[in-house]
Amino acid sequence: MKLAVLTGGGDAPGLNAVIRGVVRQATSDGNEVIGFRDGWKGVMDDDWMPLDVQGCRGLLTRGGTILGTTRINPFMTEDGRDRCRATFEANGVDALIAIGGEGTLSCTQEMYKLGFPVLGVPKTIDNDIGLTEMTFGFATAVDIATEAIGRLHTTAESHDRVMVVEVMGRHVGHIATWAGMAGGATRTLIPEKPFDINEVCQALTDRHTRKFASIVVVAEGAKPVPGTFDVPDDTFDEFGHVKLGGIGELVASEITKQTGFETRTTVLGYVQRGGEPSAFDRVLATWFGVEAARAANDKDFGSMVAYQCGDMTRVRIADAVEDLKFVSESLYDVASTFFATPDTESEDR
Ligand code: F6P
């Protein structure tokens, strides 16, 4: 059979390792593989490249995606779906594996409902896709953010400053929670738990009577408790995604205003998405790729590969995209055991 693969949405370390996994397994099943360029756009434009084992040399460790990626999808134009159908027919594509986050997977599910032979692989550094305990890219982003927090500790201590670190996480705080815990953050603010800036400032003030320096990790989508702190209204990009980036600076200036402590902001941004995948992500991405090629060979259309209980399984894309996966109460509860709160002791690391 002829398999196609595409990468959609924001990039994540491990995309190339998934492609390599797909190609290796598909080839050993006697299947041919092509890669559509720039996500679903490549399907609409009949823009693709052949993929074989030789061509995948070096991909295990390479960041980004050799196929390119966009958020353009067939539902954005009147003729998008017909163009995809024509591409499938013209090239004899028997199955398409879409590697992407919530947007790409939701689109893939809609295409499945229209009869397209499609499957999904969950990707996002945010780790917010349902029914899989991990998406690839997340572990790498956590490693990068944790290393940054470690470096910020020493400069914060030297200057007796508060360091605010803004990390990615549009709707969920997985990166913030994990990196905050791994790095020994003083406080971690995440979208799932609206924060009270007055209480945060009081906690920092109390803590600084005993200790130097604090690290406040802020997920880019963190929101204050309504009525406690004025933040600008959300703005949206052309794909309807909320435009973020800026909450760290707002939190930092309020901390300076309320506590008088010198406060600096570091926005980690796209550094979290670039470069080589970690060892864990190389393994997870490869595992996803191999299982996705097997699922395509089984004609298990409408399915998404998923990592559950330390093993690989398949779920329905429709079920996976039904709800975002939020930070669990139990993990945040453990993380918050180490937070500075007014009048309590807190330890960094
Ligand atoms: O979905 C992953 C993510 O990294 C989010 O945390 C972030 O808000 C978004 O992508 C930004 O991506 P872009 O600027 O490419 O739209």
Side-chain angles (χ1 to χ4, degrees):
M1 70 195 285
K2 190 186 242 184
L3 254 68
V5 58
L6 66 79
T7 55
D11 70 340
L15 280 166
N16 285 323
V18 179
I19 295 168
R20 170 180 173 269
V22 167
V23 170
R24 185 63 71 97
Q25 179 62 44
T27 305
S28 75
D29 291 335
N31 293 327
E32 193 188 333
V33 190
I34 63 168
F36 286 111
R37 293 193 179 89
D38 302 328
W40 277 101
K41 181 176 184 295
V43 188
M44 288 190 279
D45 295 347
D46 195 9
D47 183 11
W48 53 270
M49 59 195 260
L51 291 170
D52 60 19
V53 172
Q54 285 304 315
C56 288
R57 265 225 174 113
L59 288 194
L60 175 62
T61 59
R62 189 160 146 196
T65 162
I66 56 161
L67 294 175
T69 182
T70 66
R71 292 200 162 92
I72 294 168
N73 75 57
F75 297 91
M76 294 166 102
T77 54
E78 195 64 22
D79 62 351
R81 284 141 280 178
D82 289 341
R83 283 162 59 195
C84 289
R85 200 161 272 125
T87 300
F88 267 67
E89 278 165 17
N91 299 291
V93 172
D94 299 301
L96 168 66
I97 297 168
I99 312 168
E102 194 233 335
T104 302
L105 291 172
S106 298
C107 163
T108 302
Q109 168 60 18
E110 290 308 308
M111 295 299 272
Y112 172 66
K113 282 183 3 204
L114 293 174
F116 284 85
V118 289
L119 307 93
V121 174
K123 165 244 57 162
T124 162
I125 67 164
D126 291 351
N127 196 29
D128 58 1
I129 304 294
L131 301 186
T132 184
E133 281 153 28
M134 290 281 177
T135 52
F136 67 90
F138 169 65
T140 307
V142 169
D143 286 350
I144 294 165
T146 302
E147 202 216 324
I149 292 168
R151 289 175 184 277
L152 290 168
H153 267 292
T154 60
T155 174
E157 283 156 16
S158 305
H159 293 268
D160 192 12
R161 283 174 173 159
V162 178
M163 292 289 187
V164 173
V165 194
E166 184 183 300
V167 300
M168 280 187 168
R170 204 183 319 188
H171 305 294
V172 298
H174 293 286
I175 297 175
T177 304
W178 280 66
M181 276 181 82
T186 311
R187 289 294 290 247
T188 298
L189 313 180
I190 64 172
E192 293 91 330
K193 300 275 178 193
F195 64 91
D196 179 345
I197 192 71
N198 304 314
E199 188 263 342
V200 171
C201 290
Q202 188 57 54
L204 294 174
T205 304
D206 290 358
R207 175 184 145 88
H208 281 230
T209 59
R210 300 179 299 271
K211 290 183 83 76
F212 297 102
S214 293
I215 305 281
V216 179
V217 177
V218 185
E220 61 183 344
K223 295 264 184 294
V225 173
T228 56
F229 181 36
D230 285 340
V231 292
D233 288 340
D234 288 337
T235 56
F236 297 87
D237 69 12
E238 72 214 89
F239 302 102
H241 290 152
V242 64
K243 280 207 235 167
L244 295 166
I247 187 69
E249 193 52 53
L250 290 170
V251 165
S253 53
E254 189 64 18
I255 291 172
T256 307
K257 198 168 112 197
Q258 289 201 26
T259 66
F261 299 141
E262 256 196 318
T263 307
R264 297 285 190 268
T265 314
T266 302
V267 179
L268 290 186
Y270 296 91
V271 167
Q272 295 160 96
R273 263 167 45 176
E276 291 191 353
S278 66
F280 180 87
D281 277 334
R282 291 176 200 182
V283 173
L284 184 64
T286 302
W287 204 350
F288 275 160
V290 167
E291 182 62 18
R294 288 178 180 163
N297 200 49
D298 295 344
K299 299 188 170 42
D300 192 358
F301 303 130
S303 68
M304 182 191 89
V305 295
Y307 180 68
Q308 291 180 356
C309 303
D311 210 348
M312 196 53 55
T313 187
R314 299 175 197 169
V315 298
R316 306 307 296 165
I317 304 176
D319 296 332
V321 297
E322 204 167 286
D323 280 317
L324 286 179
K325 184 182 70 206
F326 296 104
V327 172
S328 71
E329 287 289 337
S330 60
L331 182 65
Y332 195 75
D333 180 54
V334 173
S336 56
T337 306
F338 296 86
F339 290 171
T341 51
D343 299 324
T344 57
E345 278 290 335
S346 84
E347 279 304 323
D348 297 320
R349 300 184 278 175

